[in-house]
Amino acid sequence: MAQRIANHVLSRTPFKPYIFRVDDLLRTVNEKAYEPAMVAIGPYHHGKKILERMEEHKSKYLQQLLQRRNESSVDKYVAKLRALEEEARSCYAEPISLDKDKFVEMMLVDGCFIIEFLRKTKMKELVDEDDPIFQIDRIKNILGRDLILFENQLPLFILVQLFNMTKHSDDHMNDMDIAEIALNFLGRKLPCSKGIQASTRVSIDNFDHLLGLMHHRWSPSFAEMAPNRNVGNQDKLQLIKSTTELERVGIKFRKAVNTSLFDIRFRKKIMKIPSITVNDETECLFRNLIAYEQYHQNFCQNYVTGYATFMNCLIDSAKDVEALRSYGIIENRLADDASVSAMFNKLCSNVAINRRKFCYSHVLEKVNDYRPGFLKKKYAELKYRLRDPLTFLNVKFSVVTIVLAAIQIMDLVNKS
């Protein structure tokens, strides 16, 4: 395994950073979505006063790890990380002010905290009864959120190195690697887990950090089933109308089942969209995955950006969210439908859309090419309008009035 790690490190392009700070244009739309709430990982948020309380727990986790291994010194870990310090430092796009010793100390403490935390999510016997992180589910969930923030990352090869160095002979997870354990816990945060099998072994060779692992493990389920679907005029991105506007021309919506969240299809005036649960974590997750795609466009398919753009087309207002809820496509766990609409409308603000990597060009073209006949269009519009209770009552009243008038006229004719 040591040789595998060495090959992994040597195979990277020297001084090619892949851990960035989010730029101001993205950050200003929702700054809190990129900021850790409880734990700082890596140098960008290191030393922040509001995150100091977790530093005590980091040290405690490191001590527990050493005690479990009957070790009293961190010397061997420090020596290993010193050898990787220059490579790890070059992974960050911004200059790091920490000197060599402080940088190595940060990697050791942060890395062992992540490893111990993820181990404890899988091995409950390792959790102390008085551990507040596992006594309150909310704390555990917030830590999981912080671990997948774009700026809050350690290079994955550092985690792999520490994980393999701290395996115990009696550890029943010796046949698992850090990627599997991370996906087992963090993968639950994805809005749709179809296609993500945490038990399936994945190679760490091409992953940069935990957020990158999440992105790459989530995306292939769609990529494998649609290698040739992005066809048509890719230089021109013509967006589509909202859900309620499309309903007016006769397009129907259905919930797609047993498929990836990204697998949106349109055929014979029916659009099939997988369901998504929108909760308090959804915006943060999407924003950080979109930021990842924005900064890695040379090798990264923009599935999340494309999905967010497509849903933004379909959702212009709370009425569109209400319609998608009625089809089972959106499960809303926010305050109201207006909150969901606002979230999707702002997700791609200041985001660059790579048209050649936009994975729904084929769907957009088919929808825009759909032309219902005159009668079908009028019928669809009437059917849509009748969904409004007031319109339905007005139509019903009008029909009753016409029927009554007809009866009166017939009665007068008969009497005459």
Side-chain angles (χ1 to χ4, degrees), residues 122-125 168-176:
K122 186 70 175 175
M123 300 173 65
K124 305 304 181 185
E125 63 270 22
H168 195 276
S169 57
D170 297 330
D171 193 341
H172 67 261
M173 292 197 308
N174 275 340
D175 60 338
M176 299 181 70

Side-chain angles (χ1 to χ4, degrees), residues 352-397:
I353 300 174
N354 188 329
R355 292 188 171 111
R356 293 192 175 276
K357 290 188 176 182
F358 188 76
C359 48
Y360 299 108
S361 296
H362 62 291
V363 179
L364 298 183
E365 290 182 10
K366 287 183 179 180
V367 172
N368 285 320
D369 289 343
Y370 175 73
R371 296 289 185 273
F374 178 79
L375 292 179
K376 287 184 177 181
K377 183 177 180 179
K378 291 299 180 183
Y379 173 74
E381 187 171 346
L382 176 62
K383 187 177 179 182
Y384 171 80
R385 293 178 62 186
L386 288 177
R387 284 171 48 182
D388 180 40
L390 291 178
T391 303
F392 178 77
L393 288 175
N394 288 334
V395 171
K396 185 176 181 180
F397 178 76

